[in-house]
Amino acid sequence: MSARRTVSLITLGCARNEVDSEELAARLDAAGWRLGDDNPDIVVVNTCGFIDSAKKDSIDTLLAAADTGAKVVAAGCLAERYGEQLAEALPEAAVISFDDYTEIGERLDDVLAGKTLKPHSPRDRRTLLPITPVARAAAASSASIPGHGVPSGRADENLPDGVAPASGPRTLRKRLGGGPVASMKLASGCDRRCTFCAIPAFRGSYVSRPPEDLLAEARWLAGQGVTEIVLVSENSTSYGKDLGDLRALEKLLPRIAATEGIERVRVNYLQPAELRPGLLDVITGTEGVAPYFDLSFQHVSGPLLRRMRRFGDAERFLDLLARIRERAPEAGIRSNFIVGFPGETPGDFDTLAGFLEEARLDVIGVFGYSDEEGTEAFSFEGKLDQEVIDERVAALSRLAEELTAQRAEERIGTDLEVLIDEDLGDGGYEGRAAHQGPEVDGSVTVQGIGLVPGRIVQAVAVDAEGVDLIARIKAGP
């Protein structure tokens, strides 16, 4: 073609979606599409379909993109989950499935040519792979799994600039943003059956990426200027179970941390029930691995957690936190909680509030329960009025804000290893300490001269503003 077609990629939702968008970007670049936000021919929105608020945000973004006059394509979780139903409700956008990702360039060519794409009928993607985890490796290559894309028959020298080579990292990827931090997908899908969650049905069964592919991608990211890697998945503590090695993550983390150019590695999305002692030791005791625990508690009432088809209770979770802090007293710990789940009593809510007061978490996410089609909880009795849910969310959010600010104040006077993210000018820099994950947690502001984004500096916390810290560079020995 005489002129490259232009496409803009908008990513909504979690870091896993960001990785998927970078796979799409690489495939589009290889197919001759130019990535850019200025007057694009097509806007691709990588949607989120997790809860009601995320769905609304996705729909609003698709409509806003259509208002620009560009052709619009809906990709991602909302598109996969609803398929033809979304296409019927939103004729402004063409709808594609995860199965279209490997031929995304051709799909967009069709859209640009005015052809109508036939939307898919949603299906339970868990049926695409064997039930037994260790039997999935051979079958996974035949299923389209975002973030696991394997280019075939491409020589390294023919790949566009900034795209991971076919030999080495076997994931097509093109960075869409700069900065020293990048997420890397450990695995996709989930085998858990939480009664409130629809993700396994549209993301599929759990599939780990081979360790050597991850190590090669880590080297490639380091070559792109990345110094901190954030490992993401739907459930990182399950990594390796389909590879026949439940200790795979314990073995992998030190190897990624040892990658030349990588200053820090952190792991997101840890299941408390699967946090084995060996993994806890590796996260708290390995140089270059952040002592950071993104723990999926969801609630702390034992009976309510059983209704969620989850494990644990306040006592067990407090014991886990104590074991973490015994090994790493300044470890960063965050979690999310669902308020208003069917059957939640005032006593359950009070138990949760009491737990938060004792747990001293760095970050607390509070979400109101919303019915999700296709989940077991959708048919549960004991649904709470929305007014009650909203009141509990507001009350717990106020408490969370107060408690996390107090936790930040507790860190005043402590030593911090701050990875510099950005030069703010006038001698100020923004960064993140080991206990702070990118985007979702607080930050550290430090004063200094000649600090370099992407490098870690030694500092001491001198003040706090909410969950954010203010620090000064430590004097040399």
Side-chain angles (χ1 to χ4, degrees):
M1 295 185 179
S2 58
R4 296 189 78 185
R5 297 85 76 216
T6 59
V7 57
S8 173
L9 269 168
I10 299 174
T11 306
L12 304 176
C14 63
R16 301 184 295 273
N17 254 16
E18 293 174 4
V19 177
D20 294 349
S21 285
E22 294 196 345
E23 176 195 334
L24 290 174
R27 292 186 180 280
L28 287 166
D29 199 15
W33 284 81
R34 181 171 61 83
L35 298 161
D37 296 327
D38 297 330
N39 195 29
D41 296 309
I42 294 180
V43 177
V44 176
V45 181
N46 190 355
T47 61
C48 179
F50 181 39
I51 56 177
D52 283 345
S53 58
K55 296 176 197 174
K56 183 180 184 303
D57 188 27
S58 293
I59 295 295
D60 290 345
T61 303
L62 288 164
L63 291 172
D67 287 342
T68 67
K71 295 180 182 294
V72 180
V73 173
C77 293
L78 187 74
E80 180 62 43
R81 185 175 179 184
Y82 293 103
E84 56 194 7
Q85 182 182 344
L86 178 63
E88 181 178 350
L90 199 71
E92 293 89 345
V95 177
I96 64 172
S97 166
F98 294 152
D99 296 326
D100 294 307
Y101 280 23
T102 56
E103 299 176 345
I104 184 66
E106 295 178 29
R107 296 291 86 78
L108 265 58
D109 285 341
D110 290 340
V111 171
L112 190 59
K115 298 179 181 178
T116 300
L117 300 187
K118 182 179 179 181
H120 61 282
S121 297
R123 56 178 169 171
D124 189 334
R125 295 190 72 86
R126 290 172 292 192
T127 63
L128 302 180
L129 294 172
I131 294 176
T132 305
V134 293
R136 291 176 192 158
S141 60
S142 63
S144 295
I145 305 173
H148 295 232
V150 180
S152 59
R154 295 186 57 85
D156 291 357
E157 62 269 19
N158 294 330
L159 286 168
D161 291 340
V163 177
S167 59
R170 298 189 60 77
T171 297
L172 278 167
R173 182 165 186 178
K174 181 179 179 65
R175 292 203 74 197
L176 291 172
V181 182
S183 296
M184 189 166 73
K185 186 174 282 192
L186 273 175
S188 290
C190 186
D191 287 342
R192 301 185 72 89
R193 294 296 181 265
C194 301
T195 58
F196 56 82
C197 184
I199 287 177
F202 60 82
R203 276 290 185 178
S205 299
Y206 195 88
V207 179
S208 302
R209 294 181 58 203
E212 295 307 319
D213 287 2
L214 290 164
L215 290 165
E217 186 173 347
R219 291 191 292 270
W220 179 81
L221 286 169
Q224 298 291 309
V226 171
T227 54
E228 178 175 325
I229 289 176
V230 182
L231 299 174
V232 299
S233 71
E234 274 76 20
N235 176 10
S236 296
T237 36
S238 281
Y239 177 74
K241 71 174 187 177
D242 52 320
L243 304 177
D245 186 0
L246 289 175
R247 297 186 59 230
L249 186 56
E250 300 169 32
K251 300 172 183 176
L252 177 67
L253 282 171
R255 298 179 70 191
I256 295 179
T259 300
E260 184 177 357
I262 299 301
E263 298 274 355
R264 188 156 70 196
V265 180
R266 71 176 71 238
V267 190
N268 281 5
Y269 309 111
L270 302 171
Q271 287 288 345
E274 298 179 12
L275 189 54
R276 298 169 296 279
L279 180 57
L280 198 161
D281 288 340
V282 167
I283 294 176
T284 56
T286 304
E287 184 177 357
V289 176
Y292 177 81
F293 293 84
D294 176 16
L295 297 168
S296 178
F297 286 140
Q298 303 301 348
H299 211 283
V300 300
S301 163
L304 202 67
L305 284 167
R306 302 294 95 67
R307 281 175 65 83
M308 292 180 173
R309 212 178 291 280
R310 296 178 66 84
F311 304 94
D313 55 33
E315 183 179 357
R316 289 182 176 87
F317 293 160
L318 288 172
D319 177 68
L320 173 60
L321 298 180
R323 285 187 280 124
I324 290 171
R325 288 171 173 144
E326 181 181 3
R327 292 165 172 80
E330 300 304 326
I333 306 174
R334 76 180 321 274
S335 190
N336 295 322
F337 299 90
I338 297 174
V339 175
F341 188 79
E344 183 188 60
T345 66
D348 293 330
F349 181 77
D350 291 343
T351 297
L352 175 54
F355 169 83
L356 294 182
E357 290 175 345
E358 193 170 352
R360 297 169 51 242
L361 303 179
D362 291 281
V363 180
I364 300 168
V366 180
F367 299 89
Y369 170 79
S370 64
D371 268 335
E372 294 297 320
E373 308 97 317
T375 65
E376 188 177 348
F378 189 81
S379 61
F380 278 4
E381 296 180 353
K383 300 284 178 66
L384 277 64
D385 291 340
Q386 189 61 48
E387 182 179 353
V388 173
I389 295 176
D390 292 343
E391 288 174 354
R392 291 183 182 180
V393 167
L396 202 69
S397 296
R398 289 192 297 269
L399 177 63
E401 184 176 0
E402 177 184 345
L403 293 173
T404 52
Q406 290 175 4
R407 177 63 182 136
E409 289 176 358
E410 292 177 6
R411 292 188 179 274
I412 295 174
T414 63
D415 291 342
L416 306 172
E417 291 189 342
V418 182
L419 186 140
I420 301 299
D421 283 330
E422 182 181 0
D423 184 347
L424 301 175
D426 296 326
Y429 294 83
E430 184 177 57
R432 288 170 300 98
H435 72 275
Q436 297 168 319
E439 299 183 8
V440 294
D441 299 345
S443 64
V444 180
T445 301
V446 296
Q447 294 294 125
I449 299 175
L451 303 185
V452 179
R455 309 306 297 178
I456 288 179
V457 299
Q458 305 300 315
V460 59
V462 296
D463 202 356
E465 295 181 352
V467 296
D468 299 324
L469 295 174
I470 299 170
R472 61 172 171 78
I473 300 298
K474 290 185 67 175

